[in-house]
Amino acid sequence: MLLEDCRYDGSHRFDLSKYPTSAKTDKAKKAEYAELTAKNTQLMAELQEKLYAEGHEGVVIMLQAMDAAGKDSTIKHVMSGVNPQGVSVYSFKTPSKEELGHDYLWRAVKNLPQRGNIAIFNRSYYEDVLVVRVKDLRKTYAMPSRCLDESDDEFFDRRYRQIRDFEEYLWENGYRLLKIFLNVGMEEQKERFLARIDEPAKNWKFSPGDLDERALWPQYMDAFEKAIANTSTKHAPWYVIPADQKWYARWLVSEAVVGILKDCDPQFPEMSPEDRAKMAECRERLVNWK
Ligand code: ATP
Ligand code: MG
């Protein structure tokens, strides 16, 4: 499988069930892929340094997934390849009262990186068309009736349009988005939950509520399918990454991160002739320093 096979840019009909959760025939090639991932990690470090030095583009890496799909370990891995100065991680939890008192893009905007930096979003404003859709949370919102009166489809179609517009706005203002759906299978999630229950060191990762979310699997897949179908664009495509084998997902994510940093094509800033002359003077001064 190639990263290209995971990419969906909205140019044809989207069918989530056509996207695998498993590495399939690549399953036997773990060592090879681990090596490729290590190379990408190195490349990522080099590109990020230039991105930071240049300070022209901001990059947002968004991770969406069902529980236990590996968001946290993917973030840990991406972080291992970059200089922490220049990267932030923000987790989108259940909104606070203050957050609910604002529009749903507010906390995303507040956490956008400065240009030259990378922000990793652990979940994102996509929760507002995923969990909010599945659990019908808009019924609990304090908003004027003109914002809530329509059918579900109308309400969420409007949000998809707002998200497309917002993402185009970001593109036009010097940002690039990498939107990743870690596509884990139901069977693999069960195995990972069992490990979280059985292994003491993993107990903290499990909460009984995770099973209530699992029970809503078909509704979540439907919401993911609609969200991805309606918000994938040329400048902000989605990547549906098979996530049953963590090492494989990690490789594909590393490919995607390297890809987006290469697209930025960052360069170390060029020195002006004046600055160069000044540096030569400083050099002279240092060499002769007594
Ligand atoms: P972990 O792997 O630690 O469980 P997590 O991302 O699942 O990580 P949690 O604190 O368990 O973290 O979950 C955050 C919860 O917040 C999720 O259930 C998510 O759906 C919910 N959430 C995030 N954004 C919103 C939102 N806008 N509206 C309602 N719920 C939201
Ligand atoms: Mg959770």
Side-chain angles (χ1 to χ4, degrees), residues 67 123 205 207 210:
D67 281 310
R123 304 181 185 268
K205 292 189 193 174
S207 78
D210 290 349

Side-chain angles (χ1 to χ4, degrees), residues 51-64:
L51 185 87
Y52 186 77
E54 186 180 52
H56 280 185
E57 291 213 67
V59 174
V60 182
I61 303 172
M62 280 182 234
L63 293 165
Q64 287 292 159

